Amino acid sequence: MSRTVLLIEDNPQNRYLATFLLEQSGFTVRSAGDGPQGIELAKSVVPDIILLDIQLPTMDGYAVARLLRGIEDLKRTPIVAVSSYAMVGDEDRALAAGCNAYIEKPIDPETFVAAIARLCAAEQSPQDRP
Ligand code: MN
């Protein structure tokens, strides 16, 4: 069964590239351009993994991550922060907000999909899913 990725990203070009790479590898991709839309979509889709841009309009990725972690169905869903902030402490902030991993933008097409697949697999180990 195809794994579903929820992509929360406001930049259309970044959305296009990530969607292209993931779909080419067999993932199903749903996407939202801001936090509130992303949270609504996450509740209805219950994706296997969430890719979360940190720099978003109206509500930043840290706030989105905290809200996602408060939703029962999404407590264990891997959330990957994706950020172009080259700031010290950004990764720590993302992890503190409930993200499981951090990827720097621009994403590397050579390694991006493998990293996402690995994070999905880690969550779907047999002992975790009765
Ligand atoms: Mn952005």
Side-chain angles (χ1 to χ4, degrees):
M1 202 176 124
S2 174
R3 287 166 298 182
T4 301
V5 179
L6 171 61
L7 176 62
I8 306 176
E9 162 69 71
D10 63 316
N11 181 298
Q13 284 170 303
N14 292 343
R15 226 162 39 221
Y16 178 85
L17 177 61
T19 301
F20 174 79
L21 293 169
L22 289 163
E23 286 183 344
Q24 198 179 43
S25 294
F27 286 89
T28 297
V29 180
R30 303 294 301 270
S31 60
D34 65 33
Q37 282 179 34
I39 290 164
E40 285 312 304
L41 204 52
K43 285 183 195 167
S44 60
V45 169
V46 190
D48 296 296
I49 191 165
I50 298 171
L51 299 189
L52 177 61
D53 181 24
I54 293 301
Q55 204 167 15
L56 289 168
T58 72
M59 184 192 290
D60 70 24
Y62 306 115
V64 175
R66 281 189 292 268
L67 288 167
L68 288 170
R69 279 292 175 241
I71 298 166
E72 191 57 39
D73 283 347
L74 302 170
K75 286 206 189 302
R76 296 159 49 74
T77 306
I79 301 176
V80 183
V82 185
S83 178
S84 54
Y85 288 170
M87 284 163 55
V88 175
D90 201 38
E91 181 169 5
D92 290 342
R93 271 188 82 186
L95 298 179
C99 296
N100 302 88
Y102 179 90
I103 291 177
E104 261 182 41
K105 280 200 261 190
I107 59 170
D108 179 353
E110 300 292 323
T111 59
F112 175 68
V113 173
I116 300 311
R118 206 161 44 237
L119 288 158
C120 275
E123 175 59 16
Q124 292 183 333
S125 57
Q127 65 269 30
D128 292 344
R129 301 270 169 118

